[in-house]
Amino acid sequence: TLVFGVLNLIVAVVIDNFADNRKKDVESRALDMELQEIEEKKALSKIFHRIDEDGNGALSYEELQNGAKRVPAFRHWLRVMDIDSKDLRQLFQIVNVDGSGEISPEQFTDAMFRIKNTDSRTAA
């Protein structure tokens, strides 16, 4: 049993070293982040199309409000971002960067992803 104990210790050290090296691997972390961004933006694109009630490819403020009530996936995103119904007007104004009064799919996915993923990393 002493041999097994030593072997377990060796395996644990090797795995621990591998985990440390993985954390330090910037390229791998960047790739992981890119893949996460792609997946989250796909999900946001689906949410956009579910919110777009009239199917014109743009969201009005009213559609955004209604989407927050009737699309569970959108409610979950808002919850994660700590945005409630009182904050929807401000969210709309932030996302509607061109001031057109409507939000395009790109504006929606880019802004929602950025807002969700901008956290305390930017604060020092």
Side-chain angles (χ1 to χ4, degrees):
T1 60
L2 179 63
V3 173
F4 287 119
V6 171
L7 286 176
N8 281 337
L9 182 61
I10 292 171
V11 169
V13 169
V14 168
I15 290 173
D16 190 45
N17 284 336
F18 178 78
D20 286 344
N21 289 337
R22 173 91 169 112
K23 287 179 186 176
K24 294 175 185 172
D25 185 358
V26 174
E27 278 185 35
S28 179
R29 289 179 64 201
L31 180 60
D32 289 346
M33 290 172 72
E34 287 175 26
L35 293 175
Q36 177 187 356
E37 180 176 354
I38 290 168
E39 290 302 313
E40 287 187 10
K41 284 187 174 182
K42 280 182 191 177
L44 285 165
S45 179
K46 289 178 185 178
I47 291 170
F48 177 91
H49 292 292
R50 294 196 57 210
I51 295 172
D52 185 15
E53 295 171 340
D54 60 11
N56 71 346
L59 297 180
S60 66
Y61 174 65
E62 291 74 25
E63 287 175 314
L64 195 72
Q65 277 184 310
N66 292 338
K69 294 175 187 170
R70 65 177 184 78
V71 179
F74 186 43
R75 273 198 312 271
H76 297 311
W77 271 81
L78 293 173
R79 177 83 171 136
V80 167
M81 296 185 307
D82 196 25
I83 295 174
D84 60 22
S85 59
K86 296 176 289 206
D87 300 323
L88 281 177
R89 174 63 74 182
Q90 186 177 10
L91 174 67
F92 185 83
Q93 292 169 342
I94 291 169
V95 176
N96 181 32
V97 293
D98 62 5
S100 66
E102 293 185 318
I103 299 171
S104 72
E106 295 79 19
Q107 288 174 326
F108 181 81
T109 56
D110 290 345
M112 295 293 286
F113 177 81
R114 189 178 63 250
I115 292 168
K116 178 186 171 278
N117 290 288
T118 301
D119 55 20
S120 60
R121 290 177 296 198
T122 58

